[in-house]
Amino acid sequence: MKVIGLMAGTSLDGVDAALVDLTRTEAGVRVELLSFKTYPYDGETVRFILEAGDEATGYVDKVARLNFYLGEIFAEAALSIIKEARIYPSDVDLIGSHGQTIHHLPMAEQMGKYKIRATLQVAEPSVIAVKTGVTTVADFRPADVAAGGSGAPLVPYVDYLLFSHPRKTRFLVNIGGIANGTVLEAGAVDPSSVVGSDVGPGNMLIDELTARHTNMKETYDRDGRHAAKGKASAKVVSELLESGFFSEPPPKSTGRERFGARFADAFIDVHPASRSGKYLDHIATATALTAQAIFRHYDAFYRQDKPVDEVIISGGGAKNLTLLRLLTELFQPIPVATSDEYGVPALAKEAIAFAILAMETVEGRPANIPGATGADRRVVLGKICPGHTGRLRF
C-alpha cells in the first residue's frame, strides 16, 4: 500500500510529508520510504495558527477559516511529495493526516453533567481528499479521547510495530515541539504491555528562546550550536522539574498551552541570565531542561520495573547535537542512538507514523495504546474522507 503521511507538530515549522510503501508482515509493518520533505510554513501561516490557538484571539471565525486554509496547504504538500517521487495521485492508495493541533485539553473538566477532555486538530481532510483525489484519513485523536484517553501520544503504537525486539527492551524518545517516550519490553507479543507518555517540552522552549534572541532570524538552534556556547543553570532546571507537569505520573499529555510563549516568559523571569544579558545561557538551560525531563521521566517511572537496553531518539531534536550529547551522558552506560541507525529517518518518523495509522484505520485495526494515553480500551482511530482516484474508494 502506497501511503502519504502528513504531520505538523507543535513546533510550527511546517508540514512533513512522507510517501511510503507499507507491507504487512508477521513481525509488524515493513516500511520503504520513497520520498520525504518538509514544506515550511511562512510567517503569516504561523501567525494564523498562533492566533487561532490563543484563548484571547482564537475567535470562532478564525478557527473555522484556518481549518480550510490549512486543508489547502496540506493538500499542496501531498501533491508536491507525489510530484517529488515522480508518480501520479492515482498511484497513491491513501493519505494519513495528523493536521495541526490548535488546542489540547487533556485534563477532564466538568461541563454541564459531563466531564470533558478535548483536543482539536485542523487542516480539513475533505479538502485534502478533493484536491488530491486520494482517500484521506485524519482526526486520529478524538476516538481515543472518546474512550477516556487524552488523545496523545499516538506514536507508541507505531513504535511497537517498527521497533519491538525479541531480546532488548527499548526506550523510544520522539523530540518534536513536545517530547514523548515509549517503553517497549523485550519480546512483547501485543500492544497491551506498551507504556508511554508525553514527557515535557522537546524543542518548543529551545525554539521560542532562539527566535526571541535572534529577532526571528533563526527559528531553532541548528545542531545545538547556541546551547553549546551557553552555560546551563542547574538551579533553574531543578526548580522547574520539581513542580507541575514534570512530577505528574504517566500517562499524561501536554502541548503549547502549557509550554508555549507564556512558559517562555516565566522561564526568562526566573533565569539569572536575564539580568546579565547572557542569552545563550537561556538556550543552554532550555536544552538541559529537555534532556533532564526525558531522563528523569525514565528514571522516576520506568527504570525500576522496565530497565531498558537501548534508547532510540527521533524527531527534530535528534539533530540537536548538544541535546544528544546531554542525553548520552545522562543515560550512560545505556547506549543512545538515533532512529536513523535503525532504518527509520529521525525527521520523517512522525509523518511515517501517520501513514501507518491511516492504513490501520482503513483495515479496521485499533491503534491507540491505553498504557500511553490512559484510554479505557483500544479503538480504531480516525475519520475517512473518500477520494475519487486510486485503489481505496468508499
Side-chain angles (χ1 to χ4, degrees):
M1 191 180 283
K2 282 188 175 64
V3 187
I4 293 172
L6 301 174
M7 173 67 196
T10 48
S11 44
L12 304 183
D13 48 359
V15 181
D16 293 340
L19 173 63
V20 293
D21 203 326
L22 302 178
T23 306
R24 180 81 56 193
T25 69
E26 288 186 8
V29 174
R30 186 174 69 246
V31 178
E32 180 185 357
L33 181 62
L34 304 178
S35 190
F36 172 75
K37 194 169 183 178
T38 298
Y39 298 93
Y41 286 146
D42 59 26
E44 186 177 47
T45 299
V46 172
R47 178 170 62 82
F48 290 158
I49 295 168
L50 289 174
E51 286 180 355
D54 191 305
E55 293 177 4
T57 57
Y59 305 120
V60 65
D61 61 323
K62 287 185 179 180
V63 175
R65 291 189 187 278
L66 182 68
N67 183 35
F68 283 81
Y69 172 83
L70 287 180
E72 298 280 356
I73 288 177
F74 275 57
E76 286 179 5
L79 290 170
S80 294
I81 203 69
I82 288 170
K83 186 176 180 180
E84 191 87 15
R86 298 184 179 182
I87 61 175
Y88 300 97
S90 57
D91 296 321
V92 178
D93 297 300
L94 192 62
I95 293 172
S97 173
H98 170 269
Q100 177 68 62
T101 298
I102 294 301
H103 220 62
H104 186 62
L105 304 169
M107 301 303 293
E109 290 189 8
Q110 199 73 33
M111 187 174 185
K113 64 179 182 179
Y114 305 105
K115 288 189 175 180
I116 298 296
R117 294 182 177 88
T119 188
L120 179 62
Q121 288 71 43
V122 299
E124 179 53 51
S126 294
V127 175
I128 303 171
V130 169
K131 296 287 184 178
T132 64
V134 181
T135 294
T136 300
V137 183
D139 220 10
F140 291 91
R141 300 192 184 276
D144 181 81
V145 176
S150 69
L154 297 183
V155 170
Y157 176 75
V158 176
D159 287 336
Y160 164 75
L161 292 177
L162 298 183
F163 293 98
S164 293
H165 193 279
R167 296 178 301 279
K168 294 180 180 179
T169 295
R170 291 170 164 174
F171 187 37
L172 278 294
V173 181
N174 190 79
I175 308 174
I178 297 296
N180 58 66
T182 306
V183 177
L184 302 174
E185 290 192 85
V189 294
D190 65 69
S192 62
S193 65
V194 178
V195 294
S197 179
D198 281 354
V199 171
N203 303 315
M204 185 176 289
L205 180 60
I206 301 168
D207 292 349
E208 178 73 20
L209 295 172
T210 300
R212 291 188 186 193
H213 296 327
T214 63
N215 293 317
M216 295 300 295
K217 292 178 182 177
E218 300 174 50
T219 56
Y220 69 102
D221 185 11
R222 183 184 295 274
D223 300 328
R225 295 172 188 172
H226 293 314
K229 296 175 184 176
K231 182 178 180 181
S233 168
K235 182 174 182 291
V236 170
V237 171
S238 179
E239 288 176 354
L240 289 172
L241 289 174
E242 291 303 318
S243 62
F245 179 83
F246 301 104
S247 59
E248 296 170 13
K252 55 189 176 181
S253 65
T254 190
R256 185 169 292 279
E257 299 76 20
R258 193 188 294 252
F259 291 114
R262 291 186 183 89
F263 184 80
D265 292 340
F267 176 90
I268 290 170
D269 286 344
V270 302
H271 201 296
S274 302
R275 294 181 287 278
S276 63
K278 296 180 180 178
Y279 295 126
L280 290 179
D281 292 354
H282 283 168
I283 300 172
T285 303
T287 305
L289 175 65
T290 292
Q292 287 281 357
I294 292 167
F295 175 74
R296 291 197 188 189
H297 181 85
Y298 164 73
D299 191 48
F301 302 117
Y302 303 135
R303 181 199 286 268
Q304 184 172 348
D305 297 328
K306 302 177 187 294
V308 303
D309 301 299
E310 296 176 330
V311 178
I312 303 173
I313 311 292
S314 60
K319 302 303 178 183
N320 184 320
L321 301 182
T322 301
L323 181 55
L324 272 183
R325 176 179 58 79
L326 292 174
L327 288 169
T328 300
E329 292 171 357
L330 288 167
F331 277 96
Q332 62 180 338
I334 303 169
V336 175
T338 68
S339 63
D340 300 79
E341 297 178 44
Y342 295 81
V344 179
L347 294 180
K349 181 189 167 188
E350 283 193 289
I352 292 171
F354 282 90
I356 292 172
L357 291 176
M359 181 178 72
E360 300 302 88
T361 299
V362 297
E363 294 186 352
R365 296 172 184 266
N368 64 327
I369 298 284
T373 68
D376 301 328
R377 59 190 181 278
R378 300 194 63 216
V379 291
V380 177
L381 305 176
K383 300 166 187 174
I384 301 171
C385 295
H388 59 268
T389 186
R391 184 163 61 88
L392 287 174
R393 305 184 196 183
F394 292 83

